[in-house]
Each structure stands twice: as structure tokens, then as C-alpha cells.
């Protein structure tokens, strides 16, 4: 032990009269200093703070990471398999065909669901025109083409000459106040400094997500073009709905998060059908080979498509082009997908999908899962044909016979949301707000005999008129009188809220969230 100096001998450290030394493994001498009473526990807390590592998605304010984790952990169901007659399927291709048809039938909107959305658009239109007489509210996107999923949003654009000469922030705030005072929503988010300024809100009745822009009518022209492709390619609708559901289940269907938007998905599906060699030669009927085409879609864009050098065009029957010759090849990001906008050949539809590499990997994984499951089912079918199949269990679960449920599923939240939409329809609350006759009671989704929305209703009638609210039938009166503010899980989060507002003296001032961002997708 080293010899202490005389000055050190005069220093007292509590009950100790010296500082002890210990030897580390490296041979260096380290001093052990007694911890003062007021410092006890401080070092352990500091070490805990320094040593704690945050996982992906745990950063403060990372709402997208939390949403993605919440979506991935949601249990999935396969209710469409109840409508598949497995005994009549003689091969795997027929199994996939029947199951894809059943899935598309299940996720397609019922007449009640489409009518509630249409009434919501009519309610928004009436409120906007009341304050802006020259305005026209035009739907576009998946609502116009009827390619929306049960949880899909509603995209609207307002065309107005007076709004074009007004300050955009002032117009957006006026629209936000209009939506709230009309009882359409209780909270509005304003995105003013985006490439396309919009307001976003969730409706009080039906809980639909609505985005409204001003004088940006490019989406309207795109919707008309998509309607033309739906007429020309009957298999397009089923393929688009499956891809949208597949990507939406994995939070890859939003451009702002690097995924593929709805328009890009439609263009990919159109190009796939246009460039398919057997379809081009007329050797197969696409409507009778939906399952095989679905697997080939995942195979093409997940395994074989040359993202680095080839771009996609769906004009004039479809073609591929060189990204380098077009000047669309980014040396820093050569893996990005390039899709030519058919309405503007200078615009790259998918240039904002920076996470396309992850989407490609996911497509490849889906193809691998479907292929392995298909081989397994092919062996079972052959065993049944030859009489060598033996079931070792008392009964076979319907999910065991499903191939599509290995990559797709319906969340309980979606099932509950559809039930709530039918409750809104049966209650007639939107009909009362618009002054139209109440409807007949509609069957709930998932029950036998549910009346689905007819795709032909997308197009106008022969006389040029559209299906309007005057065509709705009348039924007995039903009123929802519950005003309780429960916070229970499940259906309570979609509980219908009363459209009545408190008296002016007790009414809260108009408050809404306003986000000023430059990174928002149009």
C-alpha cells in the first residue's frame, strides 16, 4: 500500500481515516471513493439513463412507428372463407380462383356502406356550397372508382374561382370552421404548406377519414382514366383490391412513409395485365385466372422486375422504357420505381416511394409463402383423388384449407367499423340531416344474402343522370339517443355522436390543429 502523506493524514472521510486502493484486471490502481449521503442512488439513475437504448419505433413523436407496430400486432381473421366451396375445387388454381373471388366479394362495399359514404359527400357539399356559392365539390380517387377498402378514406376537391384568389390559409381555416359548424366533424387538421394544401378530418357519423383540397383537379381526370381501365380490364378490380389490402395491412400503402399510393398500385396492376404475354395473345381469360395472376404479380414485382433500368408506361396499350434515356435515373437512388403518369408524361407517379426496396422484398416473400402453401395443398388434393388421404383430427378448420389467409387477413377493427357504418345507415341520421327518406333495414356484413354494391353503379345511367339520394327507400324510424361518454374498447370508439351543439354561451370556440409542413404527399 502506498505511504500516505502527512497532509492526507489530517483529512477525515467519515469513519474512515484512509482511502483504500484496489487493483483492476489491467494492473492499474483505482481508488474507491465513499459515496456521500446526498449522492446515494444518483449514479445508478445516471447509468440507467445512459445505458437505456431505444428500439425502432420508440422515438418521441414517432406516431408512424407506433401505428405500424399497432397494425402489425392486430389479430387477423379470414371471414371470406365461409363462402368458398372447397369440395368442388379439383386443383390449386381453382382453389385460389374461388378464394380470391370470395375475398373481393367480402371487402367490396355493400350498398348501405356506399350509400352512407355518398350521403357524407352530399352533406359536405351542402355545407361548402352554403358558404361558397360558386364552389363545386368533386370526389376523386378510390371513392370515385369504387376501389376503396372498408377502411378507405374519402378524397374530395373543391373547384371555385373565388377561392383561387383568396389566401389559401384563410380558405382552409374557413373550410375547417364550416365542417365543424355543420356537425360533420369535431376536429380538423390543416396542412397549409404542403405541395397540395388540404384539410383532414374524421366524420362524426361513420368515422370516415376525409381529405379536401382546393382547385387541384388532376385527381378527377385520373379517376376517369381508371374507370376506363376498369371497363377494359375486368380482372383489374380484384387485383387492385388484393394488393391494396396486402400493403395496407403492412403500412406500406402511404407515399409519405415510402410505400406505394393507390394510384401507383393501379398503374402497376394495369401494366402487369397489359404486358402479360398470355393475356396479350388472348390465350387465357384473366377473370377466370385471378389466383394465378395474383401470384404472378408478386413474382414479377418481387423477383424479376428490373427497377434500376426499366420504367413503366401504361399509355397506348402499355410498354417499358429506359430510365436513363428518359432522364429519370437517379444515380444516388437507382432502385426507385418509375411510373409514367398517363395524364402528364413528364411526371413520375412513384418518385416519392423511397421505400420501394422494402415493398419489393415483401412482394417476394408473399410469392414464396403462396408457392409453398400451394404445393402443400396440391399434395392434399392429389391424395384425396387417389383415396390415400386420412384426416387424423376430428374436424378440419376452414382456415387450414385457405391459401390466401397466409398473407391476408381482416382485422377486428375493420369488422367493427363496418358494423357501425350499417348502424348509421339503419338509424337514418344522415338521411334526416339531408332531408331524404329513411332506408329499409340492410343486412349486416358477413351475413348470408348481404347485398353488395354493384360495380356497374359506378358508371352513369343511360339517360346521363347519376344515382342520387332521391332513389333511397323509406323505412321505419330509428333514433340513437345515447349521449354517454364511455371510453370502452371495441365498438365504443366508433360510437355515433350527437350532432346537437351546446348553446352559444357554452359552445367552445373553434379550435383545430394546424400543421405547416413541406413534406406532405398530395
Amino acid at each position: 500500500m502506498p505511504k500516505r502523506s502527512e497532509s492526507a493524514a489530517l483529512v477525515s472521510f467519515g469513519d474512515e481515516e484512509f482511502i483504500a486502493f484496489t487493483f483492476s484486471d489491467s494492473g492499474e490502481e483505482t481508488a474507491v471513493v465513499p459515496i456521500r449521503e446526498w449522492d446515494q442512488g444518483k449514479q445508478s439513475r445516471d447509468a440507467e439513463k445512459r445505458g437505456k437504448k431505444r428500439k425502432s419505433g420508440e422515438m418521441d413523436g414517432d406516431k408512424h412507428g407506433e401505428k405500424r407496430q399497432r397494425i402489425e400486432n392486430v389479430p387477423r381473421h379470414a371471414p371470406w372463407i365461409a363462402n368458398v366451396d372447397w369440395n368442388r375445387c379439383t386443383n390449386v388454381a381453382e382453389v385460389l380462383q374461388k378464394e380470391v373471388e370470395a375475398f373481393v366479394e367480402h371487402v367490396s362495399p355493400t350498398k348501405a356502406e356506399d350509400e352512407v359514404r355518398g350521403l357524407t359527400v352530399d352533406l359536405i357539399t351542402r355545407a361548402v356550397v352554403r358558404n361558397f356559392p360558386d364552389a363545386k365539390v368533386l370526389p376523386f380517387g378510390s371513392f370515385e372508382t369504387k376501389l376503396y377498402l372498408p377502411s378507405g378514406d374519402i378524397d374530395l376537391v373543391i373547384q371555385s374561382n373565388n377561392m383561387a384568389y383568396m389566401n389559401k390559409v384563410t380558405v382552409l381555416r374557413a373550410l375547417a370552421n364550416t365542417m365543424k359548424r355543420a356537425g360533420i366533424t369535431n376536429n380538423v387538421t390543416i396542412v397549409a404548406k404542403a405541395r397540395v394544401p388540404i384539410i383532414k378530418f374524421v366524420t362524426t357519423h361513420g368515422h370516415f377519414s376525409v381529405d379536401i383540397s382546393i382547385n387541384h383537379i388532376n385527381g378527377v381526370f385520373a379517376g376517369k382514366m381508371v374507370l376506363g381501365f376498369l371497363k377494359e380490364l375486368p380482372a383489374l378490380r380484384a387485383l387492385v383490391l388484393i394488393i391494396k389490402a396486402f400493403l395496407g395491412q403492412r403500412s406500406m400503402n402511404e407515399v409519405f412513409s415510402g410505400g406505394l399510393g393507390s394510384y401507383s398500385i393501379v398503374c402497376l396492376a394495369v401494366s402487369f395485365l397489359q404486358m402479360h404475354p398470355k393475356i396479350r395473345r388472348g390465350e387465357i381469360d384473366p377473370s377466370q385466372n385471378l389466383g394465378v395472376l395474383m401470384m404472378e404479380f408478386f413474382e414479377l414485382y418481387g423477383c424479376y422486375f428490373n427497377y434500376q433500368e426499366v420504367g413503366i408506361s401504361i399509355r397506348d396499350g402499355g410498354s417499358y422504357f429506359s430510365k436513363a434515356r428518359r432522364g429519370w435515373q437517379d444515380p444516388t437512388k437507382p432502385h426507385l420505381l418509375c411510373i409514367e403518369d398517363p395524364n402528364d408524361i413528364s411526371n413520375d407517379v412513384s418518385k416519392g416511394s423511397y421505400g420501394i426496396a422494402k415493398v419489393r422484398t415483401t412482394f417476394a416473400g408473399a410469392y414464396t409463402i403462396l408457392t409453398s402453401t400451394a404445393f402443400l395443398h396440391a399434395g392434399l388434393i392429389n391424395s384425396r383423388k387417389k383415396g390415400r388421404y386420412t384426416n387424423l383430427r376430428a374436424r378440419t378448420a376452414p382456415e387450414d384449407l385457405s391459401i390466401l389467409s397466409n398473407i391476408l387477413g381482416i382485422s377486428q377493427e375493420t369488422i367493427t367499423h363496418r358494423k357501425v357504418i350499417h348502424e348509421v345507415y339503419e338509424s337514418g341520421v344522415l338521411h334526416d340531416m339531408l332531408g331524404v327518406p329513411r332506408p329499409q333495414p340492410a343486412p349486416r356484413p358477413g351475413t348470408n344474402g348481404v347485398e353488395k354494391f354493384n360495380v356497374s353503379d359506378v358508371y352513369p345511367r343511360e339517360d346521363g343522370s347519376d344515382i342520387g339520394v332521391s332513389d333511397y327507400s323509406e323505412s321505419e324510424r330509428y333514433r340513437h339517443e345515447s349521449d354517454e361518454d364511455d371510453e370502452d374498447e371495441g365498438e365504443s370508439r366508433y360510437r355515433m355522436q350527437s350532432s346537437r351543439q351546446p348553446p352559444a354561451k357554452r359552445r367552445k370556440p373553434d379550435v383545430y390543429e394546424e400543421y405547416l409542413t413541406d413534406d406532405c404527399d398530395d
Side-chain angles (χ1 to χ4, degrees):
M1 181 180 297
K3 185 178 179 180
R4 292 190 303 156
S5 62
E6 296 180 358
S7 58
L10 300 177
V11 180
S12 175
F13 294 90
D15 297 334
E16 302 291 336
E17 295 183 354
F18 66 96
I19 303 176
F21 287 86
T22 59
F23 294 89
S24 63
D25 296 336
S26 60
E28 298 179 355
E29 298 179 351
T30 56
V32 179
V33 182
I35 301 176
R36 295 173 294 185
E37 182 179 357
W38 53 84
D39 289 335
Q40 292 181 358
K42 181 178 179 181
Q43 295 181 354
S44 61
R45 291 193 299 268
D46 294 342
E48 182 180 357
K49 292 180 180 180
R50 291 193 301 270
K52 184 178 180 180
K53 296 182 179 180
R54 295 183 177 181
K55 299 180 180 179
S56 176
E58 292 184 353
M59 300 300 293
D60 295 338
D62 188 4
K63 296 182 179 180
H64 176 68
E66 296 175 358
K67 178 183 178 181
R68 181 175 64 251
Q69 184 177 7
R70 184 171 67 251
I71 291 176
E72 292 175 352
N73 294 334
V74 169
R76 305 287 171 177
H77 307 277
W80 67 87
I81 61 178
N83 299 325
V84 179
D85 189 357
W86 307 101
N87 296 327
R88 293 189 177 182
C89 299
T90 59
N91 52 61
V92 176
E94 192 173 352
V95 171
L96 274 173
Q97 173 72 20
K98 298 298 183 182
E99 193 168 2
V100 168
E101 291 177 349
F103 177 83
V104 172
E105 178 71 13
H106 180 80
V107 299
S108 297
T110 64
K111 284 191 173 182
E113 292 171 351
D114 192 75
E115 185 173 330
V116 170
R117 288 175 180 264
L119 292 172
T120 302
V121 173
D122 292 341
L123 192 63
I124 295 174
T125 302
R126 189 179 67 174
V128 171
V129 174
R130 184 182 302 164
N131 291 347
F132 303 93
D134 72 323
K136 294 182 180 179
V137 180
L138 305 175
F140 68 97
S142 59
F143 174 74
E144 181 185 8
T145 59
K146 308 307 175 188
L147 291 175
Y148 61 85
L149 297 173
S151 58
D153 56 0
I154 300 175
D155 297 316
L156 303 174
V157 59
I158 299 177
Q159 189 176 10
S160 171
N161 294 329
N162 293 336
M163 290 183 179
Y165 296 98
M166 298 173 62
N167 181 270
K168 61 180 180 181
V169 177
T170 303
V171 173
L172 294 176
R173 289 178 177 174
L175 284 176
N177 293 333
T178 299
M179 296 298 104
K180 294 184 64 177
R181 291 172 180 174
I184 298 173
T185 184
N186 295 324
N187 189 21
V188 182
T189 299
I190 297 177
V191 185
K193 286 190 176 180
R195 183 170 54 183
V196 179
I198 61 173
I199 63 171
K200 303 170 66 71
F201 58 88
V202 178
T203 61
T204 302
H205 305 286
H207 289 257
F208 301 113
S209 297
V210 181
D211 297 344
I212 301 180
S213 59
I214 301 172
N215 288 331
H216 288 272
I217 59 175
N218 294 335
V220 177
F221 298 124
K224 295 180 179 179
M225 180 201 65
V226 173
L227 289 176
F229 280 120
L230 288 172
K231 286 183 177 180
E232 182 181 352
L233 304 171
L236 178 62
R237 184 171 184 271
L239 196 59
V240 169
L241 289 178
I242 288 178
I243 303 305
K244 289 182 67 173
F246 176 80
L247 293 177
Q249 181 176 311
R250 292 157 177 81
S251 299
M252 298 181 183
N253 61 332
E254 298 290 349
V255 180
F256 71 86
S257 60
L260 288 175
S262 298
Y263 193 35
S264 297
I265 293 174
V266 172
C267 292
L268 275 183
V270 170
S271 175
F272 169 77
L273 295 175
Q274 289 177 336
M275 303 301 293
H276 196 287
K278 291 189 176 182
I279 296 178
R280 292 174 72 96
R281 294 194 296 262
E283 296 179 2
I284 62 173
D285 183 2
S287 300
Q288 300 300 321
N289 295 273
L290 297 176
V292 177
L293 292 176
M294 174 194 64
M295 293 184 62
E296 292 178 345
F297 179 93
F298 288 130
E299 181 185 20
L300 173 63
Y301 295 113
C303 303
Y304 297 116
F305 188 79
N306 188 356
Y307 288 84
Q308 297 188 1
E309 300 179 1
V310 178
I312 295 174
S313 173
I314 60 176
R315 299 173 68 248
D316 301 328
S319 62
Y320 294 140
F321 61 87
S322 173
K323 293 169 59 176
R325 294 180 181 177
R326 182 69 66 89
W328 286 7
Q329 194 170 36
D330 188 352
T332 60
K333 300 177 181 178
H335 64 281
L336 291 182
L337 175 65
C338 286
I339 302 177
E340 176 191 80
D341 188 350
N343 292 317
D344 182 7
I345 60 175
S346 63
N347 180 36
D348 183 3
V349 173
S350 60
K351 61 183 177 181
S353 301
Y354 60 86
I356 190 62
K358 186 177 180 181
V359 175
R360 178 181 182 179
T361 304
T362 307
F363 282 163
Y367 172 71
T368 303
I369 293 173
L370 291 174
T371 303
S372 59
T373 309
F375 275 112
L376 177 61
H377 282 67
L380 294 176
I381 293 175
N382 290 333
S383 298
R384 289 193 184 96
K385 288 182 179 179
K386 298 178 180 180
R388 296 184 299 183
Y389 175 77
T390 302
N391 188 9
L392 301 179
R393 291 184 292 181
R395 68 181 186 87
T396 302
E399 293 83 357
D400 297 340
L401 303 175
S402 173
I403 299 178
L404 194 60
S405 62
N406 289 275
I407 63 169
L408 281 177
I410 306 296
S411 66
Q412 183 60 44
E413 186 176 6
T414 300
I415 297 174
T416 304
H417 190 196
R418 300 188 77 175
K419 291 181 180 179
V420 172
I421 294 175
H422 277 258
E423 290 179 0
V424 173
Y425 175 80
E426 294 172 359
S427 68
V429 58
L430 294 177
H431 299 78
D432 292 343
M433 296 175 71
L434 289 168
V436 298
R438 284 173 172 257
Q440 293 285 348
R444 296 295 180 86
T447 59
N448 295 330
V450 63
E451 191 173 12
K452 289 291 183 178
F453 179 82
N454 192 354
V455 181
S456 61
D457 292 341
V458 175
Y459 313 110
R461 295 172 175 170
E462 296 181 356
D463 57 358
S465 61
D466 295 330
I467 298 178
V469 295
S470 61
D471 299 321
Y472 302 134
S473 58
E474 186 176 1
S475 178
E476 61 180 1
R477 192 174 185 84
Y478 172 85
R479 184 174 299 276
H480 183 83
E481 298 178 349
S482 175
D483 294 329
E484 299 177 355
D485 296 331
D486 296 336
E487 296 182 356
D488 297 335
E489 297 293 334
E491 298 186 12
S492 61
R493 70 168 52 178
Y494 303 107
R495 187 183 299 277
M496 294 186 300
Q497 301 180 12
S498 175
S499 61
R500 295 174 298 178
Q501 293 185 345
K505 293 183 179 180
R506 295 189 294 109
R507 185 179 304 167
K508 295 182 180 180
D510 292 321
V511 179
Y512 44 80
E513 300 177 7
E514 182 171 348
Y515 291 93
L516 303 178
T517 175
D518 295 323
D519 300 328
C520 202
D521 179 67
D522 56 349

